[in-house]
Amino acid sequence: MLDANMTAQLKQYLGNLREPIELVASLGDDKKSADTRELLEEIAALSDKVSASFDGDYERKPSFIIRRASDAGKWVRFGGLPMGHEFTSLVLALLWAGGHPPKVEQDVLDQIAALEGEYNFEMYFSLSCHNCPDVVQALTLLALFNTKVTATLIEGGTFQDEVEKRNVMAVPATFLNGEMFASGKMSVEEILQKLDGNASARAAAKIADKDPFEVLVIGGGPAGASAAIYTARKGFSTGIAAERFGGQVLDTMGIENFISVPYTEGPKLAAQLESHVGEYDVDVMNLQKATKLTPASEVGGYHEVELENGAVLKARSLILSTGARWRNLGVPGEFEYRNRGVAYCPHCDGPLFRGKRVAVIGGGNSGVEAAIDLAGIVGHVTLIEFDSQLRADEVLQKKLRSMSNVDILVSAQTTEITGDGERVSGLVYKDRESGKERKVELEGVFVQIGLVPNTEWLKDSGLELSKFGEIAIDHKAATNLPGVFAAGDATTVPYKQIIIAMGEGSKAALSAFDYLIRNPAPTELAAEAAA
Ligand SMILES: Cc1cc2nc3c(=O)[nH]c(=O)nc-3n(C[C@H](O)[C@H](O)[C@H](O)COP(=O)(O)OP(=O)(O)OC[C@H]3O[C@@H](n4cnc5c(N)ncnc54)[C@H](O)[C@@H]3O)c2cc1C
């Protein structure tokens, strides 16, 4: 199962095991069970601290647990083979079970250990899902650091019947104690926040105690990270409050246009952003959503940003970089069947529609790329474009038209996604030329119609927004409010790209620098007034 390169790497990693671990498999007579046995035997042969046995009687076959030999209560179970994107998760599970310390903050580990109650997680992943490893690894961590938590991590392709029965149509899909817990990517901190009811109040109290910042960045994507690095390098006290540090990059697979880096992957770039920011004295407040901006009442004064948990942050200068998110179609059925046939990430969820019929809505580059990608996996793809022609690059259109299992519909307005109460069964569109309504029967709908800026929270702040909701900025990244700058996909800057967001973030930071050195701090203002 392992090629020479993987074998050599794994052997080296297993050298980090501090204590013995056991692999216990439950196998059937099928090919995947034979593959599982082969993989576990290969792993066990690489370290005298790893033993494998094949006498498990767990109902899901093939499956295996990884447990610490000295503490059988600490285990994680994989159903099916964690190869592909999950191979790293397998390696980490082996290492953590064997006492190798995970790279997470001690207070996260303390929070895991302090969790009260019984938590039995079952989580479904696909081998091509780039959002799944985060959840697999987070649940592994929980299970290995708290004996009251169990994690069973299931490769959906191996357990197709189960996936169908539980209506899992998007991965990662996480169940807790038999009930749906979360759909989509989650970090260990996010899971903890959901489990630990007091976490939010504790975070609010901690934030409320903070001194005002000279620069506060809202949003931790490429624009925010870049802005924070620039202002920290100028010696300004800098904070970042981000709902999800990393931003859209976390949902991105291959990146080939980040100049000087011919190829990278989103989660890797996000980790590099975090580590680069970590080189500086930047106060990163992750999982913090801004809900209200109150601008300073005088030039040079403090702006206030209220967070969802009620805490208020103050800063002399703000850089708003809250980016964008997938645009919804806004038709009946879209919300109701989200993750039950309506999907947004072809890389993640395509494999769950193997052999089935899907539609891709949107004929721009992302829609046509998605259709090409899906056509290789699913049975049939219908591409639906509102306009009278596709807007994707010609080369992509040509490729799409060459595929035999694709139909392209233009001048088609999707009006409804239909279902049987459980899952998607089709969609309805209006032929904009004839005005006639038509139906397409299918099992999945991938919505690829662009992005919408995350700026709703700014609407009543006095900040100027464009008619599309983007923050209006000038060539220096300044907004209409003195001391408030903005960068990246949330703004009116044309072309939403990583390298542009980073450039804009640094530009906003330099403009904030310029503003701060020209405008006295509030204490200086007060002193001037008193004199
Ligand atoms: C699937 C996909 C593939 C892509 N591929 C590429 C590519 O190959 N090359 C390329 O150059 N670009 C690509 N892009 C575009 C690129 O990811 C974006 O242009 C870039 O991430 C924008 O950076 P940003 O910092 O402005 O915003 P984002 O990355 O969106 O980051 C926004 C940040 O703000 C936070 N936030 C949002 N609202 C709030 C709030 N109210 N309070 C606090 N924080 C908040 C978010 O959690 C996040 O931390 C892709 C995008 C997607 C979705």
Side-chain angles (χ1 to χ4, degrees), residues 218-224 241-249 251-257 288-291 321-324 326 451 454 457 487-490 496-499 501:
I218 308 294
E243 190 177 3
R244 191 171 67 126
F245 193 95
Q248 289 169 68
V249 166
D251 304 323
T252 306
M253 190 47 197
I255 299 168
E256 297 179 351
N257 56 2
Q288 299 303 331
K289 184 172 180 182
T291 51
S321 54
T322 45
W326 300 112
L451 296 166
N454 295 318
W457 66 285
D489 282 15
K496 312 306 194 211
Q497 289 285 283
I498 296 165
I499 202 152

Side-chain angles (χ1 to χ4, degrees), residues 344-367:
Y344 296 81
C345 176
H347 290 303
C348 317
D349 301 331
L352 300 172
F353 294 87
R354 195 174 297 281
K356 297 189 170 152
R357 298 161 301 177
V358 304
V360 172
I361 301 184
N365 275 346
S366 52

Side-chain angles (χ1 to χ4, degrees), residues 326-329 334 343-344 346 358-372 374 381-393 396-397 400 406-414 427 429 445-451:
W326 300 112
R327 183 181 292 280
N328 292 328
L329 264 179
E334 181 183 25
Y344 296 81
V358 304
V360 172
I361 301 184
N365 275 346
S366 52
V368 171
E369 276 173 30
I372 293 169
L374 288 165
V381 179
T382 307
L383 183 95
I384 300 183
E385 166 58 41
F386 178 85
D387 208 349
S388 57
Q389 56 188 13
L390 302 185
R391 287 161 291 114
D393 297 345
L396 294 174
Q397 292 194 37
L400 186 69
V406 176
D407 284 338
I408 300 171
L409 303 176
V410 292
S411 299
Q413 179 183 3
T414 307
L427 64 73
Y429 73 91
V445 178
F446 286 80
V447 181
Q448 300 284 303
I449 53 169
L451 296 166

Side-chain angles (χ1 to χ4, degrees), residues 83 203 254 367 393 416:
M83 300 302 275
D393 297 345
E416 186 181 352

Side-chain angles (χ1 to χ4, degrees), residues 89-112:
S89 305
L90 171 64
V91 174
L92 290 172
L94 294 166
L95 292 178
W96 296 339
H100 183 69
K103 279 191 192 154
V104 289
E105 302 281 334
Q106 187 57 43
D107 52 331
V108 172
L109 293 180
D110 293 344
Q111 213 184 330
I112 296 176

